[in-house]
Amino acid sequence: MKNILVTGAAGFIGSAFARYMVKNYPHYNIVVYDKLTYAGNLENLLPISDEPNYRFVQGDIADRNAVQRSFDEFQIDTVVNFAAESHVDRSILQADAFIHTDVVGVYILLDTAKAHGIERILHVSTDEVYGDIHSGFSVETDGFAPNSPYAASKAGGEMMVRAYHITHGMNTVITRGSNTYGPYQYPEKLLPFFITEAIDERKLPVYGDGRQVRDWLFVEDHVTGIDTALHHGKAGEAYNIAGEDLHENIEVTHRLLSLLGKSKDLIKHVPDREGHDRRYAMNCDKLRGLGWKQQFNFTDGLEATVNWYQNNLWWWRKIKTGDYLEYYRQQYAARLAAAEE
Ligand code: NAD
Ligand code: TYD
């Protein structure tokens, strides 16, 4: 492994991975390949922009010629794929882009990688492919039961990765992460959305009763989990990466309000998300078996995250303008109005 193409790494988790790899593996060349959709942001990569082992290319993973050009130009031997449409609520509004990137894009990336003789491809997936887990913990051999268009598109992409391993003998590894949070997360997901709204004393729209359970994983732990699977994972295998820190949304909301010193009156229960999964929970003994373990618990990770958003208004204030406000209106205006009635 020497020249690694990290796709979708201008986004939240991919940029954390790129920053980590550039600093921790100076003998690897890290090439970030990203389409720069609304969620892609070169400012996430500013901390490494002057490093000699970092390069950036703008491109779509579904564009075979552009992917091929980057493979050739940088003599790529390894691919780590983060590129995705990643927000459940947007997939409920309109799923076209999810099929384009999370299904077709993954196929084009695999097929181009096969033709080029890529040595290893790690594909980043999600616990949401397992569906709603009423009790217990998902293990890697469990079946898929995706419920949102986002989860279904991620499941489709994974199935193609599996097929390229079994049919074509490609050296693939899949990781399935749980709900990830931390600095540089686009303020549409629960934590960065609620933290930034609360800083501005705006209403926090909690879907339904707020008793849905998520397993919270700090972004730095997700990154080291992917690093472990990339270096030590077995070809054709999938690895769960879980925080093993399960909390209800309403509890998470109370905790962030308390850290910010803001009133619980900001909470507004609004009509629920359609098809809303009640609970995700995974067992990650398999990855632990490769030597990985979490370094952050939710208490410390949440405090660090709240502090980061308080100290980096410059990063998120300019995101919450323009198209973002149109998305906000579509997603929340009617819900908040219904809650007022
Ligand atoms: P994100 O939305 O912050 O970033 C996605 C990135 O992919 C953006 O930089 C975007 O520009 C890029 N992208 C989108 N379509 C592209 C295309 N066609 N070609 C090239 N680049 C494209 O997402 P994230 O939260 O960082 O998630 C990264 C990966 O991790 C995704 O595959 C997601 O499914 C998975 N994941 C996320 C979480 C989470 O809680 N955020 C949890 C588990 C797994
Ligand atoms: P989200 O961050 O969108 O992640 P996911 O749906 O992939 O788990 O949402 C996390 C939880 O928070 C989920 O149960 C939905 C809930 N939620 C709200 O209650 N209100 C909101 O405005 C958002 C964005 C999420």
Side-chain angles (χ1 to χ4, degrees):
M1 197 179 324
K2 189 172 185 312
N3 301 320
I4 309 178
L5 194 76
V6 190
T7 51
F12 165 49
I13 307 170
S15 68
F17 180 77
R19 295 191 302 271
Y20 167 90
M21 293 297 284
V22 163
K23 295 261 153 77
N24 286 282
Y25 295 96
H27 52 293
Y28 292 167
N29 294 310
I30 303 299
V31 181
V32 171
Y33 179 97
D34 195 294
K35 187 179 179 182
L36 296 180
T37 66
Y38 77 94
N41 184 349
L42 286 177
E43 290 185 336
N44 301 354
L45 296 160
L46 274 181
I48 51 170
S49 58
D50 293 331
E51 298 295 333
N53 62 334
Y54 161 76
R55 300 290 281 277
F56 177 80
V57 178
Q58 184 168 5
D60 186 335
I61 59 164
D63 180 343
R64 190 187 293 270
N65 292 333
V67 171
Q68 181 66 56
R69 269 198 306 278
S70 284
F71 283 171
D72 291 339
E73 181 179 351
F74 301 104
Q75 296 173 27
I76 297 298
D77 49 53
T78 305
V79 175
V80 180
N81 179 40
F82 291 89
E85 288 294 328
S86 68
H87 191 39
V88 171
D89 288 326
R90 288 188 192 253
S91 81
I92 296 169
L93 291 171
Q94 179 63 264
D96 297 35
F98 291 74
I99 306 304
H100 172 83
T101 296
D102 304 12
V103 184
V104 178
V106 173
Y107 156 68
I108 300 282
L109 194 59
L110 283 163
D111 205 51
T112 316
K114 174 171 88 66
H116 188 79
I118 289 292
E119 288 164 22
R120 166 157 278 205
I121 177 163
L122 185 145
H123 175 69
V124 177
S125 190
T126 167
D127 59 359
E128 303 195 27
V129 297
Y130 295 120
D132 206 349
I133 306 303
H134 296 280
S135 61
F137 298 85
S138 305
V139 293
E140 288 82 351
T141 47
D142 286 353
F144 287 3
N147 291 318
S148 70
Y150 162 67
S153 68
K154 291 296 290 186
E158 268 208 45
M159 290 290 104
M160 199 54 84
V161 175
R162 173 190 160 89
Y164 268 66
H165 170 71
I166 292 184
T167 305
H168 297 299
M170 278 185 78
N171 179 345
T172 62
V173 176
I174 290 170
T175 57
R176 298 185 188 129
S178 65
N179 276 69
T180 306
Y181 68 100
Y184 299 100
Q185 186 170 27
Y186 191 86
E188 64 186 353
K189 306 278 165 49
L190 179 73
L191 271 175
F193 176 49
F194 277 15
I195 292 168
T196 56
E197 291 291 276
I199 288 173
D200 285 345
E201 308 257 347
R202 290 161 55 84
K203 294 286 181 213
L204 308 186
V206 171
Y207 296 152
D209 63 5
R211 304 288 305 274
Q212 303 83 2
V213 173
R214 294 293 183 266
D215 177 1
W216 294 96
L217 172 67
F218 193 59
V219 65
E220 289 181 29
D221 283 332
H222 197 157
V223 161
T224 57
I226 292 170
D227 177 15
T228 303
L230 179 66
H231 284 97
H232 307 294
K234 197 166 155 249
E237 296 290 316
Y239 296 88
N240 292 343
I241 310 178
E244 297 181 307
D245 225 333
L246 276 62
H247 301 276
E248 290 184 349
N249 294 339
I250 192 70
E251 181 211 328
V252 168
T253 308
H254 284 148
R255 286 173 72 161
L256 70 88
L257 284 170
S258 149
L259 283 165
L260 287 166
K262 301 286 182 184
S263 164
K264 287 183 182 153
D265 295 342
L266 292 179
I267 294 173
K268 204 79 191 154
H269 287 271
V270 301
D272 209 346
R273 172 188 279 174
E274 300 82 353
H276 197 170
D277 287 333
R278 286 299 279 186
R279 179 175 178 272
Y280 300 134
M282 292 189 295
N283 170 305
C284 57
D285 287 349
K286 188 173 171 186
L287 186 64
R288 229 190 317 272
L290 298 183
W292 172 83
K293 67 175 192 305
Q294 307 91 341
Q295 301 294 328
F296 296 87
N297 60 39
F298 189 60
T299 302
D300 296 339
L302 183 62
E303 194 177 333
T305 303
V306 166
N307 288 340
W308 190 86
Y309 283 91
Q310 282 181 306
N311 294 329
N312 290 279
L313 305 177
W314 70 273
W315 183 85
W316 59 265
R317 279 222 185 279
K318 60 185 158 203
I319 294 176
K320 293 179 102 175
T321 57
D323 289 348
Y324 179 94
L325 296 180
E326 176 52 24
Y327 166 72
Y328 178 90
R329 192 193 59 73
Q330 263 190 292
Q331 182 60 26
Y332 295 108
R335 276 196 162 84
L336 283 164
E340 293 295 344
E341 280 164 13

